[in-house]
Amino acid sequence: MRRQRSIFHNTDWVLLILYLVLIILGWINIYAAVFDENHVSIFDLDQKYGKQMLWILAALVLAMMTLFIEGKIFSQVAWLIYGLCLILLIIVIFTGREISGSKSWFQIGGMALQPAEFAKMATCLALSRYLSGLNIDIKKSKTLLIAAAIFIIPAVLVILQHDTGSAIVFLSFILVMYRAGMSGKLMLFIVAIPLVAVLSLLLNRYIMIGVFFIIFLLYYLNTKRRISDLIIIGSIFLFFSAFIFSTGIVVDKVLEPHQKTRINVLLGTNTDLKGSGYNVNQSLIAIGSGSLTGKGFMQGTQTKYNFVPEQSTDSIFCTVGEEWGFIGSSVVILLFLGLLIRLVMVAERQRSKFSRFYGYGVASILFFHFAVNIGMVLGLLPVIGIPLPFFSYGGSSLWAFTILLFIFIRQDSYRYELL
């Protein structure tokens, strides 16, 4: 008879401790961000900090339940979970509750759940299952297209909910495909697309096409002029030329006025401190006022007087910057970087391809959320409204991130076996 081993057998305690530290720090900063003098107890269930305590307790229960599941089960049910999440993403488009312009929430009693958060975990499972299959070669066009479709389909469904921020997160799975063996040249090509889009908005589009023409000419003059090389570089030139023109058309004709204004504010071509640039400007004021050591816990004036919008959710890092200063902000950033580095290290030691790819998927999702959220409040990236993992207020994101992480922690406990 097989002996039942402890749920903490071979558990990576570094990941577990980093998780606990981050959710506790997040809870404390939510308390500071929305503190009400008439409700001083951090356990007050009428306030966001009291509700966050409930979300945390429920997240810990979900974490423990995940650790009870056999490691091989996750790969076996990956497609089932993925399919169920796609169904939920479709249903919420027609029946969901609209919050902040996005129809992406199920209202269940007094609680709202966002299926898009759980769809990231489901997509991570499905993509890992597919890439770890027998005779799968990511360098083949068919395999590449199927892998891309796995995360593009839920992304499109989320876009239909008018939640562009969450949809963009699915692009982080490109990093998993790269780890699975996708060509470095293709990866460079994909990365170049948003860079060219930004440059085409900053510079005259004809200048950008001229730059590509010069690159094309230099490449042609410094090679053996093979026909295949000429066809490839010519195709790339035509693609980016068309892309540059279409970028301007999309911004001018397709995007809503407020979206266009946000892009112009970010690029510095327009200043709108009372409109689209208000959030970023107030965030910078809050973080800058924290100086080196911060104003002290519960002493943040920008936070206390609600100058920063969404300060308990998307802008929670402003509270850290204002009250704990550069030192406190650096500690939080180092904790996240430590978590990401540890995830990659643990992923690399997996014997199972499924576990390895899933670990990279977890790291990719958390990295994207972390980098974009911090970039938003610092004015380095557009305000697209995604939470800071384990820190921002809310049950859906905390539960989804918890399940996402603890599935990998459970997978890692089987690292000496081939699942």
Side-chain angles (χ1 to χ4, degrees):
M1 182 176 179
R2 186 178 179 181
R3 183 181 178 183
Q4 181 66 36
R5 63 183 185 179
S6 167
I7 62 171
F8 294 112
H9 181 73
N10 288 332
T11 294
D12 190 275
W13 289 98
V14 176
L15 287 177
L16 186 59
I17 291 172
L18 285 171
Y19 165 79
L20 292 173
V21 170
L22 286 171
I23 61 173
I24 291 172
L25 287 178
W27 184 29
I28 293 172
N29 279 280
I30 291 170
Y31 178 68
V34 295
F35 175 73
D36 186 337
E37 293 181 353
N38 297 318
H39 302 269
V40 296
S41 173
I42 196 172
F43 306 107
D44 192 329
L45 300 181
D46 291 328
Q47 302 301 307
K48 283 187 175 181
Y49 33 87
K51 293 177 182 177
Q52 186 68 11
M53 177 194 67
L54 293 180
W55 307 149
I56 290 173
L57 291 176
L60 294 176
V61 172
L62 289 172
M64 293 295 292
M65 291 173 60
T66 304
L67 292 179
F68 272 105
I69 300 174
E70 286 285 331
K72 62 182 179 181
I73 298 297
F74 298 112
S75 63
Q76 294 174 349
V77 300
W79 291 117
L80 175 62
I81 295 175
Y82 178 73
L84 290 174
C85 280
L86 289 183
I87 293 173
L88 292 176
L89 290 178
I90 294 172
I91 294 175
V92 78
I93 295 174
F94 301 99
T95 65
R97 175 187 174 191
E98 185 172 324
I99 299 178
S100 300
S102 299
K103 197 173 183 181
S104 54
W105 301 80
F106 284 121
Q107 189 67 41
I108 305 174
M111 180 176 61
L113 286 177
Q114 188 176 16
E117 296 293 343
F118 297 94
K120 299 167 191 174
M121 175 270 296
T123 304
C124 190
L125 284 170
L127 183 62
S128 302
R129 172 63 186 273
Y130 176 69
L131 293 176
S132 61
L134 294 176
N135 302 318
I136 292 297
D137 184 1
I138 196 65
K139 292 183 173 64
K140 294 181 179 179
S141 299
K142 180 181 177 181
T143 302
L144 192 65
L145 290 174
I146 293 175
I150 290 173
F151 64 83
I152 289 175
I153 291 173
V156 171
L157 292 175
V158 174
I159 289 175
L160 294 176
Q161 301 167 19
H162 303 290
D163 187 3
T164 307
S166 294
I168 293 175
V169 176
F170 286 88
L171 295 178
S172 63
F173 289 112
I174 292 173
L175 297 175
V176 181
M177 293 169 63
Y178 178 69
R179 177 59 184 86
M182 186 178 72
S183 169
K185 292 181 180 179
L186 180 57
M187 182 71 175
L188 182 62
F189 177 81
I190 294 172
V191 172
I193 292 176
L195 179 61
V196 170
V198 172
L199 290 175
S200 67
L201 294 174
L202 285 173
L203 302 174
N204 185 291
R205 63 190 66 176
Y206 295 103
I207 293 176
M208 283 299 299
I209 293 175
V211 170
F212 272 99
F213 178 76
I214 292 172
I215 294 173
F216 167 74
L217 186 62
L218 290 174
Y219 181 89
Y220 178 73
L221 294 175
N222 287 278
T223 63
K224 297 179 180 179
R225 303 183 183 181
R226 292 182 300 181
I227 296 299
S228 59
D229 291 336
L230 188 61
I231 292 174
I232 292 173
I233 195 64
S235 300
I236 294 174
F237 171 73
L238 291 175
F239 170 83
F240 277 108
S241 296
F243 179 73
I244 290 168
F245 272 109
S246 63
T247 299
I249 293 173
V250 168
V251 172
D252 292 335
K253 306 296 183 181
V254 178
L255 294 183
E256 297 292 333
H258 71 278
Q259 294 173 325
K260 181 179 177 180
T261 303
R262 284 183 179 179
I263 292 174
N264 290 333
V265 168
L266 176 69
L267 297 178
T269 58
N270 184 23
T271 302
D272 185 16
L273 298 183
K274 293 184 179 181
S276 297
Y278 179 80
N279 291 22
V280 174
N281 185 56
Q282 294 301 320
S283 298
L284 292 175
I285 291 174
I287 294 173
S289 66
S291 190
L292 180 63
T293 58
K295 297 177 180 178
F297 182 57
M298 306 286 291
Q299 301 302 312
T301 54
Q302 289 290 112
T303 296
K304 183 180 295 184
Y305 297 110
N306 298 315
F307 285 109
V308 181
E310 309 295 338
Q311 57 189 21
S312 65
T313 52
D314 302 338
S315 300
I316 187 66
F317 190 73
C318 294
T319 304
V320 179
E322 184 179 19
E323 298 193 350
W324 304 105
F326 176 79
I327 294 177
S329 300
S330 298
V331 169
V332 171
I333 289 174
L334 288 174
L335 285 170
F336 273 106
L337 290 177
L339 176 66
L340 293 170
I341 292 171
R342 185 62 182 176
L343 282 169
V344 172
M345 292 174 60
V346 173
E348 282 297 328
R349 74 185 182 190
Q350 303 303 306
R351 295 182 63 195
S352 166
K353 290 172 65 178
F354 173 81
S355 299
R356 186 183 311 118
F357 294 146
Y358 182 81
Y360 269 90
V362 176
S364 298
I365 294 171
L366 295 181
F367 168 74
F368 194 94
H369 270 269
F370 160 71
V372 172
N373 184 276
I374 301 296
M376 286 192 311
V377 299
L378 294 179
L380 301 175
L381 293 171
V383 178
I384 59 174
I386 62 174
L388 185 61
F390 313 120
F391 241 77
S392 294
Y393 170 79
S396 292
S397 61
L398 177 61
W399 295 347
F401 286 131
T402 296
I403 297 172
L404 177 78
L405 176 63
F406 275 82
I407 286 177
F408 182 54
I409 290 177
R410 186 54 170 166
Q411 288 290 113
D412 177 61
S413 69
Y414 290 84
R415 59 185 173 271
Y416 301 113
E417 305 174 26
L418 282 174
L419 299 177

